[in-house]
PDB file of all heavy atoms in Angstrom:
ATOM      1  N   THR A 175      -5.753   5.398  11.707  1.00 97.00           N
ATOM      2  CA  THR A 175      -6.753   4.573  12.379  1.00 97.00           C
ATOM      3  C   THR A 175      -8.151   5.016  11.955  1.00 97.00           C
ATOM      4  O   THR A 175      -8.473   6.199  12.021  1.00 97.00           O
ATOM      5  CB  THR A 175      -6.649   4.762  13.907  1.00 97.00           C
ATOM      6  OG1 THR A 175      -5.306   4.526  14.268  1.00 97.00           O
ATOM      7  CG2 THR A 175      -7.561   3.822  14.657  1.00 97.00           C
ATOM      8  N   GLY A 235     -44.126   2.195  15.485  1.00 95.00           N
ATOM      9  CA  GLY A 235     -44.964   2.743  14.412  1.00 95.00           C
ATOM     10  C   GLY A 235     -45.160   4.241  14.558  1.00 95.00           C
ATOM     11  O   GLY A 235     -45.707   4.889  13.668  1.00 95.00           O
ATOM     12  N   LEU A 353     -21.631  33.626  17.123  1.00 97.00           N
ATOM     13  CA  LEU A 353     -22.524  34.071  18.204  1.00 97.00           C
ATOM     14  C   LEU A 353     -22.660  32.975  19.258  1.00 97.00           C
ATOM     15  O   LEU A 353     -22.678  33.243  20.464  1.00 97.00           O
ATOM     16  CB  LEU A 353     -23.910  34.424  17.650  1.00 97.00           C
ATOM     17  CG  LEU A 353     -23.949  35.603  16.672  1.00 97.00           C
ATOM     18  CD1 LEU A 353     -25.317  35.693  15.998  1.00 97.00           C
ATOM     19  CD2 LEU A 353     -23.642  36.911  17.412  1.00 97.00           C
ATOM     20  N   ALA A 356     -19.326  32.580  21.152  1.00 97.00           N
ATOM     21  CA  ALA A 356     -19.080  33.700  22.069  1.00 97.00           C
ATOM     22  C   ALA A 356     -20.146  33.785  23.158  1.00 97.00           C
ATOM     23  O   ALA A 356     -20.167  34.736  23.941  1.00 97.00           O
ATOM     24  CB  ALA A 356     -19.024  35.009  21.288  1.00 97.00           C
TER      25      ALA A 356
END
Side-chain angles (χ1 to χ4, degrees):
T175 307
L353 296 170

